[in-house]
Amino acid sequence: MAQMMINGKSTPALSGKTLDVLAPSDGLVYDSIPRGEAADVDLACSAARAALEGPWGRFSALERSRLLLNFSRKILDHLDELTDIEARDTGKPLTAARADITVLARYFEYYGGAADKIHGQVIPFLNDYSALLVREPLGVTAHIIPWNYPAQMFGRSTAPALAMGNAVVVKPAEDACLSVIRVAELAQEVGFPPGAINIVTGLGEEAGASLAEHPGIDFISFTGSNEVGIKIQQAAALNAVKCVLELGGKTAHVVFDDANFELAVPTIIKGIVQNTGQTCVAGSRLLVQKEIYTGFMAMLAEAFAKVRAGTPEMDANCGPVISEKQFRRVNRFIDAGINDGLEIICQGEILPGVPEGGYFIAPTLFSADDHSSDLLTQEIFGPVLVALPFSDEADAIRLSNATDYGLQGAVWTENGSRQQRMARGIRCGQLYINCFGAGGGVELPFGGVKRSGHGREKGFIALEELSTTKTIVQFYGA
Ligand code: NAP
Ligand code: MG
């Protein structure tokens, strides 16, 4: 049975309650996790505060840097073990799980390298005064992360926090948290003092809500759905603490008539099939210039039909979706698309031999005539791509921006001026030109505008989000 990590010790819930862990590939129970509640969250927050007031708070920047770098190496030493844990827990192909663990290690490498290179400032001020701006940790930082990339999300959220000297309390998702638990054990082995990294598992409405509203936290970062994101911001408001929200997305690829089709087609397919479409930045809409619509869609369909879904061991293009709940939700969207009159252009294949109880969905490519269907405005979080023709640049920008979300965008054209006009016109936090990325890119600031949330993760900017400044003014005249 997996355990939580509180104050450096693997621990069950105080109540002794547990939750079943299922494998999405076969729907069968194979482990359990503690069902943490308010009392467990309380212990974790106290342990984090004590760590800040104790040994962890006295770590120099250089010591934190070396510790994070050692942690990164330790994660890579356990690459095979962590890959297996992640693949079984989420259902994703082994190759994808392996890439995720490598990215997790990269987060600690990147932020370990940065930890001792954050400088303050000396501000020119009045004669005989010195004015300093120093950067300090926020304190106890709370991190509520989703099930789609548990290991990566743990790295993305906590590595900059730890680099800046915060103590973290993490609530991973009930549906996939075993890699996070194992990584937290490795953190103890590598020398993080007790309480610097705490993990409370459990249900969102119990452990998650208790953490979000806990008076002992100084910051909260959340990745997940809009509905819960709003609750997190309300909880943060009651304690007057800052929050960073990474919510959903509805990324559109825009393909112009002069695009490099050979480059665009496989990239667009990977962008929706990767992680079975369960990615906030999944390229789930495809806008194609009307003059090339038929030709481009034929080329896309030929490649899309070859997409395969299978178990982690089959190492197909994608796995099952995470749970029965998501299985039903994604299938509801596919049915709604058919009811809305959208045309199914083609579907990929579920490989023969997948277990009967697995949550497999055939990747589906739809074509629409207008932007009215829910499939074009709602986040599906499954392997469903909907294409739509557009007339000109203005139409492409209007359609790109025709959702409440604003996380990521992508443009395919060889015309440099058009690349710039499109890049400036699309409202989002990350914009790709003739390429597309999800998941990696540790160096690249990431986050949304509109209903996709606010605040930034990844890159150096995350170190600013996870710290605060103090202005120190000193008079040294006679
Ligand atoms: P979710 O409910 O927003 O879950 C995200 C995290 O928040 C999980 O750790 C969850 O815990 C926790 N949580 C749930 N209710 C909470 C509450 N009241 N207070 C504090 N924490 C709470 O997302 P989901 O149910 O897994 O998925 C639903 C939809 O969210 C998806 O279909 C997708 O559209 C979106 N989503 C987006 C992302 C993203 O990366 N942007 C990731 C995942 C999901 P438990 O899961 O343990 O309950
Ligand atoms: Mg699982």
Side-chain angles (χ1 to χ4, degrees):
M1 183 183 113
Q3 305 273 274
M4 306 192 287
M5 178 60 63
I6 297 179
N7 202 24
K9 294 204 172 57
S10 292
T11 154
L14 284 169
S15 68
K17 288 187 215 164
T18 60
L19 296 165
D20 288 341
V21 174
L22 310 181
S25 292
D26 56 19
L28 299 176
V29 175
Y30 70 98
D31 204 344
S32 67
I33 52 167
R35 180 171 167 176
E37 293 169 322
D40 304 284
V41 168
D42 209 32
L43 284 180
C45 291
S46 301
R49 183 65 59 194
L52 287 171
E53 287 163 4
W56 177 235
R58 288 193 291 275
F59 266 55
S60 69
L62 176 59
E63 288 168 328
R64 290 198 306 272
S65 167
R66 288 183 175 151
L67 183 57
L68 264 67
L69 291 170
N70 286 340
F71 189 30
S72 173
R73 281 187 287 270
K74 181 95 173 171
I75 290 164
L76 290 178
D77 287 345
H78 290 259
L79 180 57
D80 291 342
E81 179 197 356
L82 291 168
T83 296
D84 288 343
I85 293 173
E86 192 77 328
R88 187 166 192 196
D89 204 5
T90 61
K92 64 181 76 185
L94 282 166
T95 313
R98 202 173 176 82
D100 285 3
I101 303 303
T102 311
V103 176
L104 165 68
R106 173 71 183 129
Y107 274 112
F108 285 96
E109 179 187 50
Y110 180 85
Y111 289 109
D116 61 344
K117 295 169 191 69
I118 308 297
H119 295 203
Q121 294 172 4
V122 179
I123 302 167
F125 192 49
L126 304 171
N127 282 344
D128 298 333
Y129 280 84
S130 135
L132 304 180
L133 190 74
V134 296
R135 208 157 256 289
E136 298 189 339
L138 291 164
V140 176
T141 57
H143 308 259
I144 298 182
I145 60 177
W147 41 258
N148 52 351
Y149 294 89
Q152 271 204 48
M153 293 289 172
F154 175 81
R156 180 171 109 182
S157 201
T158 68
L162 294 163
M164 294 311 291
N166 300 285
V168 306
V169 181
V170 181
K171 208 307 269 176
E174 172 210 351
D175 285 327
C177 60
L178 297 182
S179 62
V180 172
I181 289 172
R182 182 66 187 124
V183 166
E185 289 168 4
L186 298 177
Q188 311 309 311
E189 290 175 24
V190 89
F192 279 92
I197 299 177
N198 305 279
I199 314 289
V200 182
T201 56
L203 298 175
E205 55 271 26
E206 295 177 357
S210 304
L211 179 57
E213 64 196 29
H214 199 281
I217 63 169
D218 300 294
F219 167 92
I220 182 155
S221 134
F222 170 82
T223 301
S225 62
N226 283 60
E227 303 73 49
V228 178
I230 290 165
K231 290 185 191 167
I232 300 295
Q233 185 154 356
Q234 284 169 333
L238 291 177
N239 281 320
V241 299
K242 171 173 146 181
C243 68
V244 165
L245 299 180
E246 300 285 2
L247 310 178
K250 196 71 193 172
T251 300
H253 286 274
V254 180
V255 182
F256 284 94
D257 55 4
D258 63 340
N260 179 337
F261 288 14
E262 284 72 31
L263 193 61
V265 163
T267 313
I268 289 168
I269 292 176
K270 182 162 185 263
I272 184 63
V273 169
Q274 178 181 333
N275 217 42
T276 324
Q278 304 169 117
T279 306
C280 48
V281 294
S284 54
R285 292 184 297 153
L286 172 61
L287 308 173
V288 182
Q289 197 160 9
K290 69 172 185 289
E291 289 77 10
I292 57 159
Y293 192 76
T294 309
F296 185 81
M297 290 303 288
M299 193 169 158
L300 183 76
E302 195 186 332
F304 197 95
K306 295 187 184 126
V307 169
R308 302 281 176 265
T311 64
E313 298 72 28
M314 291 173 179
D315 228 9
N317 306 88
C318 62
V321 294
I322 191 77
S323 62
E324 196 190 340
K325 178 179 143 207
Q326 288 301 107
F327 179 79
R328 280 194 263 109
R329 184 171 184 273
V330 175
N331 277 311
R332 266 203 308 277
F333 270 107
I334 293 175
D335 293 344
I338 295 165
N339 286 336
D340 288 351
L342 273 58
E343 182 192 352
I344 292 187
I345 300 285
C346 76
Q347 287 190 299
E349 192 195 344
I350 298 171
L351 282 171
V354 301
E356 222 164 75
Y359 310 125
F360 293 93
I361 294 175
T364 304
L365 174 61
F366 277 106
S367 175
D369 298 328
D370 59 45
H371 204 275
S372 61
S373 169
D374 276 357
L375 272 72
L376 281 151
T377 53
Q378 313 270 312
E379 189 175 47
I380 300 173
F381 238 56
V384 181
L385 176 62
V386 187
L388 179 73
F390 70 85
S391 52
D392 54 18
E393 269 181 47
D395 196 30
I397 290 175
R398 179 184 65 80
L399 290 168
S400 285
N401 293 337
T403 76
D404 289 340
Y405 296 110
L407 200 52
Q408 198 159 290
V411 181
W412 297 86
T413 174
E414 296 296 308
N415 180 326
S417 306
R418 185 151 69 188
Q419 289 169 351
Q420 274 305 311
R421 287 192 296 272
M422 292 299 297
R424 302 305 169 113
I426 297 173
R427 291 190 65 199
C428 60
Q430 251 188 14
L431 190 285
Y432 287 85
I433 302 170
N434 294 338
C435 58
F436 191 65
V442 168
E443 308 82 354
L444 309 174
F446 175 81
V449 297
K450 296 159 73 181
R451 297 294 180 269
S452 289
H454 50 76
R456 291 292 176 264
E457 294 187 297
K458 302 187 175 184
F460 246 66
I461 206 165
L463 297 164
E464 290 171 21
E465 292 279 20
L466 268 307
S467 59
T468 185
T469 62
K470 183 184 282 170
T471 308
I472 302 175
V473 181
Q474 179 188 11
F475 176 66
Y476 56 79

